[in-house]
Amino acid sequence: RKEAASAGVALVPINLMSRDKFEAAEVMMGAVFLYQGRTEVMPVIDDPGDLEYDVTRRIKKLVDAKPKTLGFVSGHGELSPADSVSAPLFRMISERMQTRAVALDKPLPIGLDALWIVEPSAPFKPAELSALKDWVSAGNTLGVVAGRRRIDFGRFVSAPLDTGLIGL
């Protein structure tokens, strides 16, 4: 019990009912995974429907010695790790990988495993498109999630959106 508590497994209050009595108890319903000196803790296992996913995710995190680093392009209205709207998505990504905001008007950081552009809403400059082409030509991974129309949901209208990425 001391080892589990010191590792971060939480005590959970539960109510036990049987035919003739009602009891309150505290139990530990968590898990600690140890691998080559590293530790992953599930403080509380509260949803058995997600248990397989949670266990697999933590084991994967333990056995991956060096997490991947993803760069998310910023400066064109893209979704980024700093956006409050997309924070839940980036929180899930950052559980398994490191994320960085990347500006294309500066040299790309060393050590990026992939570069992502997510929902840009402004055009890219020719020098930025050239940097992206160089990135891809060097055999690096580029992910683009983009539309070709700008949608104004308040007025229910759309207009063409040319970010310059079509030629890429």
Side-chain angles (χ1 to χ4, degrees):
R1 183 178 179 150
K2 282 182 183 180
E3 280 184 85
S6 68
V9 175
L11 280 172
V12 178
I14 62 168
N15 296 320
L16 303 169
M17 293 179 10
S18 63
R19 277 198 248 145
D20 55 350
K21 65 180 176 177
F22 176 81
E23 291 181 70
E26 287 186 330
V27 297
M28 293 182 136
M29 298 190 317
V32 179
F33 301 93
L34 307 168
Y35 179 74
Q36 294 184 346
R38 294 192 302 275
T39 305
E40 269 299 308
V41 179
M42 292 176 68
V44 177
I45 299 172
D46 56 355
D47 185 1
D50 291 337
L51 182 60
E52 181 180 3
Y53 171 75
D54 287 339
V55 169
T56 303
R57 183 171 47 97
R58 283 178 168 79
I59 290 172
K60 179 80 171 132
K61 191 174 177 182
L62 275 176
V63 299
D64 286 344
K66 181 182 176 272
K68 303 271 187 211
T69 302
L70 303 180
F72 287 89
V73 174
S74 62
H76 311 90
E78 299 93 343
L79 296 180
S80 72
D83 294 332
S84 60
V85 173
S86 56
L89 169 67
F90 287 105
R91 197 173 315 116
M92 286 178 51
I93 292 170
S94 64
E95 285 180 8
R96 294 246 350 265
M97 300 172 212
Q98 296 176 352
T99 60
R100 294 183 68 173
V102 174
L104 294 174
D105 58 352
K106 300 174 185 160
L108 292 173
I110 296 172
L112 290 178
D113 294 297
L115 192 59
W116 279 89
I117 302 170
V118 183
E119 292 297 323
S121 59
F124 285 73
K125 296 175 186 165
E128 294 171 326
L129 292 170
S130 178
L132 290 172
K133 287 178 185 175
D134 292 345
W135 171 263
V136 172
S137 295
N140 296 309
T141 301
L142 175 65
V144 179
V145 179
R148 297 174 85 176
R149 300 197 63 83
R150 181 185 329 244
I151 300 172
D152 182 343
F153 289 105
R155 297 183 327 171
F156 297 107
V157 296
S158 72
L161 173 63
D162 184 11
T163 58
L165 294 173
I166 298 299
L168 198 63

